[in-house]
Amino acid sequence: DTFIALGELHTAKNQLVLAESELISALEIYNNFDGSLDHANCQLALGSLYILCSRFEEAKEQLQSALDAYISIGNDRGRADCLGRLGQIHISLGQLTVADGFLQSAIKLHDDFVYPLGKVTILNNLGLLYLNLGRYDEARTVVQSAIDLSASMPFPIGQGEALQLMGRLHGLHGEQ
């Protein structure tokens, strides 16, 4: 857990090389426990880091492996996070239909448990997807949901991204 925490801390500080080093060290330790929650959490963190670095194939590999582990141990929160991140990758790659499938699956899982940060992230990605598809009304609805949900959190993480998306949507219609 310490290596994962250090990896996530370095990621948050945009020290991506250090983050990767810590997460790979953790993964080497957890490889002896393949399929464990810690192993899956490490792969999720590493996959998320690879998304930030635009290393999408490596990210997909880590996230798919984590997803398989989360499914086998019955961890729906981890499963939803992986599905959301996989959706994010496919948006970046312009594979919008594939992204939609991942994001819809992730949001359905979030309806069954309370984890506002994960849901805000997925709503933001759905908003971006709908924006890219030209489905502006749907984009506004999910982005507004992300804004509302993040406003109810002690620290409104994800709200900045949602507000930025809403600004883009208003700009497309000449609104201020």
Side-chain angles (χ1 to χ4, degrees):
D1 287 347
T2 303
F3 285 118
I4 295 174
L6 285 170
E8 290 176 340
L9 175 66
H10 289 306
T11 300
K13 293 173 70 178
N14 204 33
Q15 298 169 334
L16 305 182
V17 172
L18 287 172
E20 182 179 20
S21 175
E22 297 292 356
L23 292 170
I24 287 174
S25 293
L27 198 56
E28 288 170 358
I29 292 167
Y30 293 132
N31 277 338
N32 296 323
F33 307 100
D34 191 27
S36 73
L37 180 60
D38 288 332
H39 189 258
N41 288 341
C42 186
Q43 289 179 303
L44 173 60
L46 191 56
S48 298
L49 172 67
Y50 288 153
I51 291 171
L52 290 174
C53 299
S54 299
R55 293 165 57 182
F56 299 123
E57 290 306 315
E58 290 167 284
K60 284 196 291 188
E61 181 181 315
Q62 293 298 323
L63 293 169
Q64 188 59 57
S65 184
L67 177 61
D68 293 343
Y70 287 130
I71 289 170
S72 73
I73 61 177
N75 186 312
D76 285 342
R77 179 176 161 184
R79 189 172 149 207
D81 284 347
C82 285
L83 290 167
R85 296 289 182 202
L86 287 164
Q88 183 181 357
I89 289 169
H90 288 285
I91 290 171
S92 296
L93 295 173
Q95 300 166 345
L96 303 181
T97 303
V98 176
D100 190 35
F102 280 116
L103 294 172
Q104 293 300 333
S105 295
I107 204 72
K108 285 177 187 167
L109 285 169
H110 270 286
D111 289 341
D112 293 336
F113 58 88
V114 178
Y115 176 51
L117 175 57
K119 190 167 187 174
V120 167
T121 301
I122 291 167
L123 289 170
N124 282 336
N125 283 322
L126 270 173
L128 179 60
L129 172 69
Y130 293 152
L131 174 69
N132 287 329
L133 290 170
R135 294 164 48 184
Y136 303 121
D137 290 337
E138 289 170 277
R140 283 178 199 259
T141 299
V142 297
V143 171
Q144 187 61 55
S145 295
I147 292 168
D148 295 343
L149 183 57
S150 65
S152 71
M153 296 166 35
F155 302 99
I157 298 171
Q159 190 175 59
E161 184 179 347
L163 291 169
Q164 184 179 33
L165 276 170
M166 190 62 83
R168 287 177 62 191
L169 286 162
H170 286 297
L172 288 171
H173 291 288
E175 302 170 13
Q176 294 188 15

